[in-house]
Amino acid sequence: MKIKKVILIILAILIVVGAGFALFKLGDNKKKDSSKKQVVASNFASYDFLRAIIGDNDNIELTFLLGPGKEAHSYDPTAKDLTTIQNADLFVYIGGEMEKWADKVLESLKEEKDVETICIANFVDTIEEQEVDGAEEEEEHHHEHGDEEHEHEEEENEEHEHEAEEHEDEKKEEHHHEHEEGAFDEHIWTSPSNAIKMVNKLEQAMEEIDGENKEKYKANAQKYIAKIQEVDKKIQEVVNKKVRNRLIFGDKMPMQYFINYYKLEVSAAFNGCSTETDPSAKTIAYLEDKVKQEKIPVVLYIEMNDGKVAKTIAEEAGNNCQALQIQALHNVSLDDFNNGETWVSLMEKNVEVLKKALQ
């Protein structure tokens, strides 16, 4: 009995000591984290601009919330992500329909007075979502596959016509609200002018949370803006020498700001935020005809896509047409992220692609 009692006492001591050590480590980790300013960016462009502005400042911990290789439109923050945001000194997000989840996050941050939040889209020139030439064929694709259900739906519509009339005003109000909250095109970073505005705003935000290093932030921001302007100049030179004005995307097309900025025309399989992956035969035929009629040498597809549709269109169009990837910076692949690719370096890659597509 005495031996058992001694063993129990020893175990109790070990448990208490272990718990105390664990609490000490937790406190130590918390102290380490709190010694740095925490900055969180929801998307790659904001993360990249902040990375350039912060530079080699070890007192700032920057987090890329979405992470490389992930689809922004289907992203949903985990419990760990929410904790990361709640512990941040600065949280930067895009907003709109693509980041609808941010609404709930912001609601949870009302009590967190120390978290500075910036919807970066509020500080650039935004446009409404636009239908892309060719992408309307996507609707026909749905109709083709929905013919069998159409008659049944019409019968149901007649049965519920009275109910629909009663709720008509309510639906209109909801639609208006959706338009106000998220009808703008969220892919704001694809135009150099917006990219520069983003850098300037983010630099100001860094000054507010870390005023001691404001001169460094200003200098770093100006250096990065100069790089943006340089790559903008290179792309503009390509556009100035163009022999055609249309880009063809065998993919979705999240580059409307880029297209508008350089005054180009575009046709695509899908609109910018489409979740579809397989276009109809009519869509493919339409884009093939465009390629042939305008003698377009390149069919584009965006990052993190295998280019299957673009390659099919290029092959069917013939005349040595090829499929090439263009960087929309919607996100970056894990390889590109690990290789240190930036907004500027990826746009530099686009220069060569655009030469082949437009000249």
Side-chain angles (χ1 to χ4, degrees):
M1 290 292 293
K2 288 184 178 180
I3 295 174
K4 287 183 179 179
K5 195 171 184 180
V6 170
I7 292 172
L8 288 172
I9 291 171
I10 293 171
L11 286 172
I13 292 170
L14 288 173
I15 290 170
V16 171
V17 171
F21 180 76
L23 287 172
F24 170 79
K25 291 300 291 181
L26 281 173
D28 186 50
N29 287 337
K30 189 174 181 181
K31 186 177 180 180
K32 281 185 179 179
D33 290 340
S34 63
S35 69
K36 293 186 176 184
K37 295 286 185 181
Q38 302 293 319
V39 178
V40 180
S42 66
N43 80 305
F44 175 73
S46 295
Y47 168 82
D48 178 57
F49 299 157
L50 283 163
R51 176 172 57 180
I53 294 164
I54 293 167
D56 59 1
N57 188 343
D58 293 332
N59 294 320
I60 303 293
E61 186 169 337
L62 177 62
T63 300
F64 177 21
L65 194 67
L66 174 62
K70 298 177 183 177
E71 171 52 55
H73 294 97
S74 58
Y75 168 75
D76 195 24
T78 64
K80 182 180 178 182
D81 293 337
L82 294 175
T83 300
T84 299
I85 296 170
Q86 288 170 348
N87 291 334
D89 295 279
L90 173 64
F91 170 50
V92 180
Y93 65 103
I94 298 291
E97 288 299 317
M98 184 169 67
E99 292 185 352
K100 198 67 178 174
W101 53 265
D103 293 342
K104 293 180 180 179
V105 173
L106 295 175
E107 186 67 27
S108 72
L109 292 178
K110 283 185 175 179
E111 302 301 321
E112 303 288 339
K113 295 181 181 179
D114 294 334
V115 182
E116 180 72 23
T117 62
I118 294 178
C119 178
I120 196 64
N122 291 338
F123 300 93
V124 301
D125 298 321
T126 59
I127 59 175
E128 291 186 0
E129 293 177 354
Q130 298 177 23
E131 292 292 326
V132 180
D133 176 60
E136 69 273 10
E137 299 295 326
E138 182 183 346
E139 292 299 318
E140 293 183 16
H141 177 52
H142 288 303
H143 288 311
E144 286 172 8
H145 291 276
D147 285 342
E148 293 179 2
E149 300 176 5
H150 184 64
E151 291 182 7
H152 179 65
E153 289 177 355
E154 282 188 343
E155 290 175 2
E156 287 187 346
N157 286 340
E158 287 176 3
E159 290 175 5
H160 298 289
E161 184 177 351
H162 181 65
E163 293 179 16
E165 287 175 356
E166 289 179 351
H167 295 288
E168 184 176 355
D169 291 338
E170 183 179 343
K171 288 179 180 178
K172 285 180 180 178
E173 184 179 344
E174 288 176 1
H175 177 74
H176 178 68
H177 178 70
E178 287 174 5
H179 178 81
E180 287 181 338
E181 291 297 319
F184 73 95
D185 186 332
E186 299 99 334
H187 310 96
I188 57 174
W189 56 84
T190 60
S191 89
S193 61
N194 273 354
I196 290 171
K197 289 176 182 177
M198 290 173 72
V199 172
N200 281 325
K201 178 58 187 177
L202 294 174
E203 187 276 319
Q204 292 171 13
M206 287 306 303
E207 282 189 33
E208 290 178 9
I209 68 166
D210 185 27
E212 291 181 5
N213 290 293
K214 66 178 182 179
E215 294 306 321
K216 289 182 180 179
Y217 296 145
K218 284 181 180 178
N220 289 341
Q222 289 309 306
K223 285 179 184 177
Y224 204 74
I225 286 172
K227 292 180 180 180
I228 293 172
Q229 291 170 332
E230 184 60 29
V231 75
D232 175 23
K233 182 180 177 181
K234 290 179 181 179
I235 295 173
Q236 191 62 62
E237 286 173 355
V238 173
V239 173
N240 291 343
K241 296 177 182 177
K242 68 183 186 294
V243 296
R244 61 187 60 82
N245 201 49
R246 183 176 299 277
L247 295 176
I248 298 286
F249 283 71
D251 201 346
K252 52 190 175 184
M253 205 292 294
M255 298 184 72
Q256 194 62 56
Y257 289 92
F258 182 94
I259 297 298
N260 290 0
Y261 182 83
Y262 292 107
K263 297 180 174 58
L264 298 171
E265 295 177 341
V266 66
S267 299
F270 302 113
N271 289 317
C273 293
S274 174
T275 57
E276 295 287 330
T277 56
D278 297 314
S280 68
K282 286 185 178 181
T283 297
I284 291 177
Y286 178 84
L287 295 175
E288 285 174 11
D289 287 343
K290 278 282 186 185
V291 171
K292 292 175 183 177
Q293 290 167 10
E294 301 188 24
K295 297 180 180 178
I296 294 172
V298 171
V299 180
L300 302 167
Y301 61 97
I302 64 173
E303 67 273 4
M304 297 189 297
N305 188 314
D306 60 10
K308 182 180 177 182
V309 174
K311 291 170 186 175
T312 298
I313 294 169
E315 184 178 343
E316 293 297 322
N319 293 324
N320 296 317
C321 183
Q322 60 181 323
L324 294 176
Q325 185 182 85
I326 191 168
Q327 298 289 333
L329 291 99
H330 201 253
N331 197 357
V332 288
S333 68
L334 183 59
D335 285 343
D336 281 345
F337 185 79
N338 289 337
N339 289 333
E341 298 286 3
T342 67
W343 186 99
V344 168
S345 68
L346 292 171
M347 278 294 182
E348 288 275 6
K349 291 183 178 181
N350 286 345
V351 174
E352 297 306 313
V353 173
L354 290 167
K355 281 181 182 178
K356 294 177 181 178
L358 297 174
Q359 294 180 356

